[in-house]
Structure formats: structure tokens, C-alpha cells
Amino acid sequence: MKVRDIIRLADAMLGTDIDQRVFVKEQMDDELFDAVKSDRTLQKLVGCVNLALCELAEEYLPLTACQTVTAGGIVPYARFERSPVQILSARQGGNVRYVYRPDGVEFEAEGDVEVEYTYRPGERGFLDEVETGGGQIGVRTLAYAVCAEYCLQNGDYDEAQVWDKRYKDNLLNALSKKSEISIKKREWR
């Protein structure tokens, strides 16, 4: 799913009347770039999508990455391929102890350390694909989050609460474990 798809649905829900021609283009050309750049509502909605994706990754559905870093003192956060939120494990043969520092992570090891960590997604543009950590979260759920954020930014707090409740309800439903229920077959004697 793309940022564009989320915004299209949020636009329909909010009734913001964005020019529908921006939703049909598959590639960023000068016309689309100018349309996105000049439409303040569209820019605000792209920002809301990015905030919703960060909230989703940081609070509900963490995105994880695994990377090998060269330790020897503090490893700056900038050396990680993605923006780390929390270290899940550090290994070099066995577990390696680590400490968070303001400018990076200090590992109690020298050399290559395999680090698994959660990260926040990078900034997404209008035609970019979104990261949601699997196929559990649909466009509608993210559109609800975008609507809530948009209303909040515009000072419509009551409306923001309504959209936020819809978002949380859909999110709970999407993240709850769904498995097949099986009942033992009865035997008649």
C-alpha cells in the first residue's frame, strides 16, 4: 500500500476535497510534484501519514531489523541502517551487554556484533510504499489514524476522538490473534 492510497481514503472520510487527479498518477512528474507542493491540505495529510506510521511502529506493531555493526566503544545511532528505537538483542558468539548513550549505543565487545532492534520508519512521500510490519494493517485502519491526527492538528478535538476510537478498534481487531476453532468430532455409540 502507498501513502497515496491512505490519503485517498482519508480524503473521502474527511471530505477535504483534494483534486482527484493526484490519485491516478503512478510516477512523480512535474505536474504531480507541483500539485502536492501547492496543496497545503495534501501536504498536511502526508505528514499525518508519517506520524501515524511512527505511532504504529513505536507503540503497537514494532518494525524489526537485524544488522552487524563494528563495536569498539560507542556506535553512533547514525551508523545503524534505520533509526533505532530499542535494541532487542546483541550477539557476538553469545549475548553482548550494551548501554544506551545520548550519542549512540556502547557495546561491551570489540569487533562485529549482530544487533537486532526495532526502528521507526523513515519519512515517506506521496507515492512511497509504507512499512507496517506485515499484512495485518489495512488501508482503512491507517486512514482512521490519519483522520484522527488531521482533526487533532486542526483543533477539532471531538472529531479527533471519534476517529481515534475507530482507529484503535480496528487496530485491536487487526492485531488480535485469529485462528481456526476446532471442535472434537463426536462419536455416537
Side-chain angles (χ1 to χ4, degrees), residues 19-74:
D19 183 359
Q20 296 298 301
R21 292 179 291 183
V22 299
F23 297 120
V24 296
K25 297 218 178 220
E26 291 297 323
Q27 292 187 348
M28 185 64 75
D29 59 12
D30 291 338
E31 182 183 350
L32 181 59
F33 181 79
D34 291 340
V36 171
K37 190 89 170 157
S38 64
D39 190 332
R40 295 177 70 69
T41 302
L42 191 54
Q43 286 180 350
K44 189 178 257 190
L45 287 170
V46 170
C48 290
V49 169
N50 281 302
L51 288 171
L53 292 172
C54 278
E55 178 186 5
L56 181 66
E58 291 174 358
E59 296 183 28
Y60 302 107
L61 191 63
L63 300 171
T64 59
C66 197
Q67 174 184 345
T68 302
V69 296
T70 303
I74 296 176

Side-chain angles (χ1 to χ4, degrees), residues 94-111:
N95 288 338
V96 173
R97 295 179 61 150
Y98 56 89
V99 177
Y100 295 105
R101 300 285 183 212
D103 53 343
V105 181
E106 185 175 4
F107 296 97
E108 290 184 8
E110 296 288 326

Side-chain angles (χ1 to χ4, degrees), residues 77-93:
Y77 293 119
R79 251 202 261 153
F80 287 87
E81 293 167 357
R82 301 199 159 118
S83 178
V85 174
Q86 179 181 12
I87 305 292
L88 300 175
S89 69
R91 297 187 173 284
Q92 187 186 58

